[in-house]
Amino acid sequence: MRVAVIGAGIVGVTTAFELANDGHVVTVFERCSSVAAEGSFANAGVLAPGYVTPWAAPGMPGKVLRHCLSQHAPVRWGGRLGPGGTAWLWKWWRSCKNETYTRNRGRMHRLAHAGRARRRALTDALQLDHERSAGYLVLLRRPQDLELAQAGLKILTDLGTRFEVLDAEACRGVEPDLNPQTGLHAGIHVVDDEVANCRQFAQLMRQEAQKLGALFRFGTTVRGIDAGARPTLRFDTSGASSQETFDAVVVCAALDSRSLLAPFGLKLPLLAVHGYSITAPMRQSEADGNGGPRSGVMDERYKVSISRFGNRLRVAGSAEIGGTPSRINDKALHTLHHVLNDWYPGVARLDQAQVWKGARPMLPDGPPVIGASGVPGVWLNLGHGSSGWAMANGSARLLADLVGGLPPSIDAEGLGIERL
């Protein structure tokens, strides 16, 4: 089949690869000049399937309210929610029931674990060379942090995830350059998790998709879809309007998916939850191996990760509800600096730091929507929120199976649009 993919973030690129790998003739439409240029550009890079979980969780509304009043908060209020924002919050609140949370957590875990297996298989088979390192250490500053982590540890156990609960001394054995002046009670070390460069992987996936015949049209904005047995895309490129007909269209356009699907009566409850990161080169001595994390660490109290990519550090975190990508919240950056200075003071050249803020399209109950849209010829793979990197390869494989009429390699239960 001739298949169009709208969007070339990590989800769109992996989807294009899987479709091309199955023998389809694929064209990718992307408004930016390269892949992974927006929400996938500078994310934390953490790949920890056991920690992929819905925002809609029991007790979460109260936590969000308390966080919004804190100086160094993992969750912040960014401003106007935009159209549908109030309805999104209502649906999110209703999804925080334990039964709903448990179902959705299981759906996300399926995608994240399948995604890890698929990503590693492709990395080995195609000899993909990208920045990555094994291991993930969750830092627990206080005894009460370890107590609060017990529910999460039970989930890891139920999933069969290999982990160790370490005391402070053992944590420093895993990450010897942690600042000894910062109080540390314990840590959770997950040996099978990893840190990897999402944007690099997306670029490699683009190259592999192109080898299979996929065409990438950058600087092209899709204006609309005319649905049918053979849907037509209307798009603008190089200042000119055009259109093209396909056998199927896959929408991976993040928040822009709303306007593309609205004419069909599909009002997907997508909300921008923004994340921040700071990426900075390490000082020369630290880059040589003395200083900084060996892989990735997460400060559980502030929900801020510090990851190492070659001779660079990336500090990432914050969940900003509402607002716009262009407005930088200095308080969010201050929290990132605060956590970096607590654990690795002086390691990074912050005068050369790159600041990033990205919009993560989140559905109120957590899992993405993958599969047929109900509109003839139109398919969906979107709404991954802050876990797009972890779930991308699994989502792409599932979508390709469904489009091609193949037996799904991943259980698709609860991931269709009928859930919403």
Side-chain angles (χ1 to χ4, degrees):
M1 292 195 299
R2 296 188 71 243
V3 184
V5 176
I6 306 174
I10 186 61
V11 172
V13 173
T14 52
T15 297
F17 169 81
E18 295 291 356
L19 289 166
N21 197 46
D22 285 355
H24 299 292
V25 179
V26 179
T27 303
V28 182
F29 294 83
E30 169 57 49
R31 66 182 180 183
C32 297
S33 60
S34 68
V35 300
E38 296 184 285
S40 305
F41 183 79
N43 60 26
V46 174
L47 294 165
Y51 283 91
V52 170
T53 187
W55 245 42
M60 191 64 175
K63 290 180 182 179
V64 169
L65 288 175
R66 290 192 296 273
H67 286 321
C68 287
L69 300 175
S70 303
Q71 179 183 4
H72 294 297
V75 180
R76 299 181 185 277
W77 186 258
R80 290 185 65 248
L81 292 175
T86 302
W88 188 96
L89 287 176
W90 170 248
K91 293 174 182 176
W92 168 70
W93 180 78
R94 286 176 57 86
S95 298
C96 289
K97 300 172 184 176
N98 186 62
E99 183 180 352
T100 304
Y101 164 75
T102 301
R103 286 198 305 268
N104 288 326
R105 185 188 68 206
R107 293 160 179 163
M108 295 175 74
H109 282 165
R110 287 203 307 269
L111 285 173
H113 282 274
R116 178 170 67 184
R118 182 60 175 162
R119 184 175 54 255
R120 289 178 174 176
L122 290 174
T123 296
D124 293 341
L126 301 174
Q127 297 184 326
L128 303 179
D129 183 15
H130 60 288
E131 294 170 332
R132 56 181 179 145
S133 53
Y136 184 52
L137 181 63
V138 179
L139 303 174
L140 306 170
R141 294 177 180 245
R142 308 163 300 176
Q144 54 264 48
D145 294 333
L146 180 57
E147 294 175 13
L148 292 171
Q150 293 306 309
L153 294 179
K154 183 180 184 305
I155 293 172
L156 293 181
T157 300
D158 292 343
L159 290 170
T161 301
R162 291 194 304 151
F163 70 90
E164 294 181 282
V165 178
L166 308 177
D167 60 19
E169 182 179 358
C171 286
R172 293 191 165 91
V174 173
E175 291 288 353
D177 295 307
L178 288 169
N179 183 8
Q181 303 303 314
T182 298
L184 177 60
H185 174 69
I188 304 166
H189 186 219
V190 190
V191 294
D192 290 330
D193 288 347
E194 59 187 310
V195 168
N197 190 317
C198 176
R199 184 164 181 257
Q200 276 189 357
F201 187 84
Q203 291 169 331
L204 294 170
M205 282 284 91
R206 170 202 171 182
Q207 293 171 12
E208 295 299 326
Q210 287 175 317
K211 291 177 185 177
L212 296 168
L215 173 65
F216 284 76
R217 293 184 176 177
F218 295 109
T220 301
T221 301
V222 176
R223 297 300 182 189
I225 306 170
D226 297 327
R230 298 199 70 224
T232 297
L233 284 193
R234 290 176 279 107
F235 55 89
D236 295 341
T237 184
S238 302
S241 297
S242 187
Q243 63 182 38
E244 192 167 342
T245 299
F246 296 88
D247 297 305
V249 172
V250 183
V251 181
C252 307
L255 294 170
D256 288 338
S257 303
R258 295 177 300 189
S259 59
L260 292 173
L261 298 171
F264 307 115
L266 296 179
K267 298 181 179 180
L268 291 183
L270 286 168
L271 182 72
V273 178
H274 297 96
Y276 287 80
S277 73
I278 297 170
T279 306
M282 300 175 69
R283 299 186 186 280
Q284 190 59 48
S285 60
E286 282 78 9
D288 291 338
N290 300 315
R294 298 299 187 262
S295 181
V297 302
M298 164 69 80
D299 187 310
E300 179 64 14
R301 182 176 180 184
Y302 298 109
K303 300 295 190 293
V304 170
S305 67
I306 307 172
S307 306
R308 182 168 185 156
F309 296 116
N311 64 352
R312 306 183 315 285
L313 284 188
R314 178 166 296 161
V315 191
S318 190
E320 186 176 280
I321 304 171
T324 63
S326 59
R327 180 182 175 275
I328 301 296
N329 188 324
D330 291 336
K331 291 182 179 179
L333 296 183
H334 185 55
T335 297
L336 300 187
H337 283 278
H338 172 75
V339 173
L340 176 61
N341 188 62
D342 272 1
W343 296 115
Y344 298 104
V347 167
R349 298 189 61 89
L350 294 175
D351 57 326
Q352 300 178 23
Q354 176 191 57
V355 174
W356 172 83
K357 179 182 180 181
R360 302 173 294 198
M362 188 176 292
L363 290 162
D365 59 349
V369 171
I370 304 169
S373 68
V375 177
V378 180
W379 299 78
L380 308 177
N381 191 3
L382 49 85
H384 296 72
S386 58
S387 300
W389 181 206
M391 295 190 287
N393 288 93
S395 300
R397 187 58 257 164
L398 174 58
L399 189 282
D401 288 341
L402 295 173
V403 170
L406 303 173
S409 54
I410 303 166
D411 186 359
E413 183 277 327
L415 299 174
I417 196 169
E418 64 277 0
R419 185 185 87 239
L420 302 173

